[in-house]
Each structure stands twice: as structure tokens, then as C-alpha cells.
Amino acid sequence: AMLSALHHGFCTLPDPRRGKVEIPLPDALMAGLAMFSLKDPSLLAFDERRCSDGNLGRIFGIGKVPSDTQMREILDPLDPQRLRQTLIELVDIYSPSGKEEDIQLYLEALLTRAGFDVERQEVEDDRYNLRVTMGSGEPRLYLVGHVDTVPAWDLEEFGPQEEEGLIRGLGSADMKGGCAAMVEAWLAIAAALAPEERPSAGLLLVVGEEENGDGTARLLEDYRFPWSIIAEPTRLAPCLADYGYI
């Protein structure tokens, strides 16, 4: 039911690509979801599955599974080094709940330099959510992430540390890694598509999640939308919902 609901949602998204399109947008999106959900270590491994695994059609509803080359073309605008640097810089900014201004200033400047109009939604003095949109009309799909972390046990060691290709540090998983990935998607789209070609989508970077959720509560006073992708760490397993408290 979850995968069917996602596929249905993807089918409602307008495809801004022009000319001959070899892979329909819902198939491309579901293929990306399948690759991460099945933990394929590479695009080549996914390509081998494409040739032998009928579950991609039966379970994920993919009508035309993209090849390794086609997936690389779709993902080509993404810049792994830029993504890595964004994550390092985010983790290097100390942003416990209630003290998120420095990281929001960093993200606001990064997105503004890419040509986006960044809207501040005030939560309280010196605390605000950031909202960015692209495409035409009010987006029905938003990428959502929180920029705050729990307090550091040791202020001398909260920052980024790289070991065997992995970046560790306060908030690297929860959820500055997710925020960096969503920002990279935004930067890649800005580089690859003219403004009139971009899909209708939104990006929300909120404060206060680790304590009382005041950033999200403030967000929902002004905006409601049917679809969101929240990049909390789930070991790359898609989840339709999670537990919380009221």
C-alpha cells in the first residue's frame, strides 16, 4: 500500500522535461526509491537487478526500468563533492535547539547565491524557518528538514570528523545529512534547468525539532500540503509515518 501510494503521488507530479523523454518521471522516481530501498551498492548493481528481477515491476510498479546509463544521466547534475562540503560546513556550525540562527544564515546565503528567493518565517526573535520554492503555483510536494540538534556533550568535539569515507559529528545523521542532500538537489536543479523548466516543489528548513517542535508548529500555521519528503535517518528505508507525541 505504501509503494502504491507513493507511485500514485509521483504520477500527479508534472514532468518539466522537454523533447523526447525515454523514462517517464514516475518510473525514474520509483527506480531511485527502489535502488535505495533494496540497498544496491552501486548503479551497476541496480542495472544487474533490472535485467533479472521482476519485482521492480510487480512491487515497485516501475513500467520502464532505467538502465545504468540512464540513471547516470538523471543523476548527473548532482555534485558529490559539493554535497560533501555542504555537509561538513553544516556539521561545523553548532546549532542546538533555540540557537539556530547561524546555520540558517549559512543556508539562506547558500540558496540565495544559487538564485533562489528565500523566505523567512519567524518563529521567535532571531529564530526562523526557511522556505524556498521553484516552478509555478503553490507546491504540493515539499522537502522538509530540521536544522537543530541536541546539545553537545563536548563543545570541543562536536564538529565534523572524517573516517574511512564517512563524515561523523553532531547532527551528521539527525539530520544535517538529510538537509545537505535536499539542498544539493536544489542546487543541482538550479544548475540543470532554466526557471521555467523546473518542477513545482518546495524546500522547508525548520528549527526547534529536537525540543518542542515549535518550528514545525509555526510552519503549519501558514502552510499545508499533501506530500512531503522528510530526510530523517531511517537506514534509507522509506516510511509513511513515524511515532511522536502531542
Side-chain angles (χ1 to χ4, degrees), residues 84-230:
R84 175 182 173 278
Q85 188 60 35
T86 299
L87 175 56
I88 289 173
E89 292 175 2
L90 288 176
V91 176
D92 197 44
I93 300 172
Y94 186 51
S95 59
S97 295
K99 298 180 180 180
E100 304 97 342
E101 185 179 20
D102 287 347
I103 197 167
Q104 292 294 61
L105 287 171
Y106 166 83
L107 288 164
E108 183 180 52
L110 182 63
L111 291 162
T112 299
R113 287 196 301 270
F116 292 103
D117 293 326
V118 183
E119 172 194 341
R120 293 185 181 184
Q121 184 193 39
E122 185 175 351
V123 177
E124 59 183 26
D125 290 345
D126 298 326
R127 298 184 66 232
Y128 45 84
N129 301 322
L130 297 179
R131 174 178 176 264
V132 190
T133 63
M134 66 171 66
S136 59
E138 176 60 28
R140 291 173 53 81
L141 171 67
Y142 274 87
L143 308 183
V144 184
H146 69 86
V147 300
D148 61 307
T149 68
V150 298
W153 287 102
D154 186 343
L155 287 175
E156 298 299 322
E157 297 186 3
F158 78 89
Q161 302 177 35
E162 190 164 0
E163 181 181 348
E164 297 181 356
L166 297 177
I167 297 172
R168 307 179 188 277
L170 181 61
S172 56
D174 185 12
M175 61 173 294
K176 292 181 178 181
C179 289
M182 294 187 294
V183 168
E184 175 56 32
W186 234 246
L187 299 179
I189 290 172
L193 298 175
E196 65 274 10
E197 297 176 324
R198 296 172 188 169
S200 177
L203 172 65
L204 292 164
L205 300 163
V206 304
V207 301
E209 189 270 351
E210 294 290 355
E211 287 196 352
N212 59 9
D214 57 352
T216 301
R218 177 69 182 91
L219 163 70
L220 295 175
E221 291 177 8
D222 292 344
Y223 303 105
R224 297 292 177 119
F225 36 90
W227 290 93
S228 65
I229 297 174
I230 303 174

Side-chain angles (χ1 to χ4, degrees), residues 17 23-25 27-29 31 66-78 188 192:
R17 296 173 295 176
I23 303 296
L25 183 61
D27 286 345
L29 295 172
S67 66
D68 168 66
T69 301
Q70 289 167 326
M71 285 292 284
R72 290 180 186 278
E73 290 175 353
I74 293 169
L75 298 173
D76 189 57
L78 297 173

